[in-house]
Amino acid sequence: MSNQNKNKENAGFFASLQNSPSTDEFIKGLWRENPVFVQVLGMCPTLAVSNTAENAMAMGLATAFVLLMSNILVSSLRNFVPKQVRIASYILIIATFVTMVDYAIQAISVELHKALGAFISLIVVNCVILGRAEAFASKNTIGKSILDALGMGLGFTFALLCLGSVRELLGNGSIFGLSVFPKSYQEWIVMILPAGGFFTLAVWLLIFNAAKARKATT
Amino acid sequence: MKEESLWYIFINASLINNFVLAYFLGICPFLGVSGKMETATKMGGAVTFVMLISSMCAYGLHALLTAINAPFLQLISYIVVIASTVQLVEMFIKKMSPALFRALGIFLPLITTNCAILGLALFQTNKGYGFFESFIYALGAGTGFTLALVLMAGLREQLNFAEVPNVVKGTVLTLLIAGILSLSFMGFAGLGSQ
């Protein structure tokens, strides 16, 4: 999947939201709304499964699928669910789809299922999904919710890929399992370890902050 | 495989494989409520309590679901149990200490979506722990979570007096500290070798 594709998707979403189809709006929108880098939501899966680019990709897509399905269902049920029990019913909806994804991944690739481990089930408690259900899908039409879910899901996948590729590149000398550096390259084992996840995310956030600060001053 | 002693399970869950620093579970409250020592301690207590209850319930539920041959209901039933336990704790705290209730704010209902708790329930099922083992495992995980939270809060309270560049302030600084903490917790790995 190329970056350009994602950009187009996001551009469509943000343009429809703000009614101005310029690319500038898209960049602002992506920065303001990216679930990982800006809202700092869904940290646990972001850090835990981003040790290789492949895991990051699979996790991002699984989350995007659950996000899409739950947004559709939450949005279509928004007039029937009583306000007092809405959170509980959202969680039930999300848990149903996560169970489906869990079994689907197990059927597609046992190896991948083993690598992601309990973190597939833990999509249930990913704050991004519940957050979008509560903040967006419960108040908007189905069409808008689908666009929102696509934008958020791809933004999440993109962020995970950012982390995963850096960690795999430095920690293993490869990307998507293909080795990049010559054999003499000394791997930074720490990048694969939990500590590396914290450091990589910190550096990405730092870059985002620095760029934002620079933009604000100019 | 050698039977794991209860002491080993406790040390394993709290130090060697610390839920926050090694498994990345419960990062949201770890970043969110670690600003002040007092709230951090109480948050840790609340999470440990919810962990203990939901771990015991998960043990019972797992036995029941295995008996009626419906493992696909596992996730849904676990999350329902956790959500109701959190509701219970929320009502209890609101009644007993309104000040603490305000201090914890949005993070109290968000214990439901704390991955550490659901993660604990799933891990103990995967590992096939019995009732006592599950209880000790939950106790260890809760202790580990509280420990990480308190350490972080202590460091952040000290850092309030440090001069930090504006770009690094906030989440970035917290993540960097977490990385260093995680590195130092790797030193406990030696405990598990024997």
Side-chain angles (χ1 to χ4, degrees):
Chain A
M1 168 162 325
S2 71
N3 250 340
Q4 228 165 11
N5 251 340
K6 251 172 247 157
N7 290 357
K8 264 186 208 152
E9 284 275 10
N10 274 324
F13 157 60
F14 286 111
S16 73
L17 203 70
Q18 304 172 339
N19 287 326
S20 88
S22 67
T23 38
D24 188 46
E25 287 294 329
F26 147 67
I27 293 170
K28 269 162 68 188
L30 187 70
W31 282 45
R32 239 183 260 137
E33 300 268 327
N34 188 297
V36 174
F37 291 139
V38 180
Q39 301 182 41
V40 201
L41 288 176
M43 285 290 108
C44 313
T46 310
L47 290 165
V49 297
S50 63
N51 48 2
T52 68
E54 197 187 340
N55 286 355
M57 180 91 167
M59 188 65 188
L61 291 181
T63 311
F65 172 77
V66 175
L67 184 58
L68 179 65
M69 298 312 280
S70 68
N71 251 14
I72 292 175
L73 206 59
V74 165
S75 167
S76 51
L77 290 174
R78 69 184 186 281
N79 295 328
F80 303 103
V81 177
K83 221 173 165 39
Q84 295 83 355
V85 295
R86 67 183 194 286
I87 300 284
S89 44
Y90 298 161
I91 290 207
L92 282 184
I93 290 171
I94 296 168
T96 313
F97 287 116
V98 172
T99 310
M100 278 164 57
V101 168
D102 192 15
Y103 279 85
I105 292 184
Q106 208 165 1
I108 295 166
S109 157
V110 180
E111 214 169 279
L112 186 64
H113 190 264
K114 225 179 235 167
L116 295 179
F119 281 95
I120 305 170
S121 312
L122 287 176
I123 297 178
V124 178
V125 285
N126 188 327
C127 351
V128 177
I129 299 177
L130 193 64
R132 289 331 283 172
E134 165 75 2
F136 198 93
S138 61
K139 293 174 192 126
N140 287 288
T141 55
I142 299 177
K144 270 189 184 170
S145 303
I146 292 176
L147 285 176
D148 177 71
L150 282 177
M152 283 291 156
L154 288 177
F156 187 72
T157 314
F158 169 67
L160 246 69
L161 266 180
C162 280
L163 274 163
S165 38
V166 169
R167 285 180 72 185
E168 194 184 342
L169 188 67
L170 294 178
N172 210 10
S174 60
I175 275 195
F176 285 105
L178 305 166
S179 38
V180 177
F181 293 134
K183 277 223 169 70
S184 57
Y185 175 69
Q186 182 70 48
E187 292 106 348
W188 302 12
I189 302 293
V190 70
M191 295 308 272
I192 298 284
L193 295 174
F198 284 116
F199 288 135
T200 318
L201 185 61
V203 171
W204 273 113
L205 283 175
L206 189 66
I207 295 171
F208 262 67
N209 280 355
K212 224 188 283 175
R214 174 172 291 185
K215 207 168 193 189
T217 51
T218 48
Chain B
M1 210 177 78
K2 188 170 70 89
E3 190 85 350
E4 289 172 335
S5 68
L6 293 179
W7 175 244
Y8 175 75
I9 292 175
F10 180 79
I11 293 293
N12 185 33
S14 60
L15 294 177
I16 303 171
N17 286 316
N18 185 289
F19 266 55
V20 179
L21 298 168
Y23 284 162
F24 296 121
L25 296 169
I27 299 284
C28 301
F30 180 61
L31 300 179
V33 281
S34 59
K36 265 200 208 133
M37 187 65 108
E38 207 195 336
T39 20
T41 327
K42 283 173 178 157
M43 184 69 181
V47 168
T48 311
F49 179 73
V50 177
M51 273 180 170
L52 285 175
I53 304 253
S54 55
S55 140
M56 285 187 282
C57 293
Y59 174 76
L61 273 174
H62 179 65
L64 181 72
L65 289 178
T66 319
I68 60 168
N69 207 2
F72 50 86
L73 285 179
Q74 188 185 28
L75 201 53
I76 298 181
S77 48
Y78 281 7
I79 197 76
V80 170
V81 166
I82 293 170
S84 22
T85 318
V86 172
Q87 195 76 50
L88 199 75
V89 172
E90 199 182 337
M91 289 192 294
F92 180 76
I93 293 185
K94 199 174 180 179
K95 192 93 182 169
M96 299 306 284
S97 162
L100 178 62
F101 184 74
R102 273 195 301 277
L104 290 176
I106 181 71
F107 286 100
L108 195 53
L110 278 184
I111 297 181
T112 314
T113 53
N114 183 334
C115 4
I117 294 165
L118 184 62
L120 172 86
L122 292 168
F123 286 153
Q124 77 173 45
T125 314
N126 286 347
K127 291 187 176 190
Y129 282 159
F131 184 76
F132 280 114
E133 286 158 333
S134 301
F135 186 80
I136 297 295
Y137 192 52
L139 198 64
T143 316
F145 181 82
T146 316
L147 182 67
L149 209 61
V150 167
L151 279 175
M152 184 57 125
L155 287 169
R156 280 179 70 177
E157 274 188 354
Q158 295 294 315
L159 276 169
N160 282 341
F161 303 106
E163 268 186 49
V164 180
N166 265 331
V167 219
V168 190
K169 261 182 194 160
T171 322
V172 179
L173 188 62
T174 319
L175 281 170
L176 285 175
I177 302 174
I180 297 169
L181 270 183
S182 166
L183 270 183
S184 56
F185 263 69
M186 275 166 54
F188 288 119
L191 282 174
S193 57
Q194 40 96 18

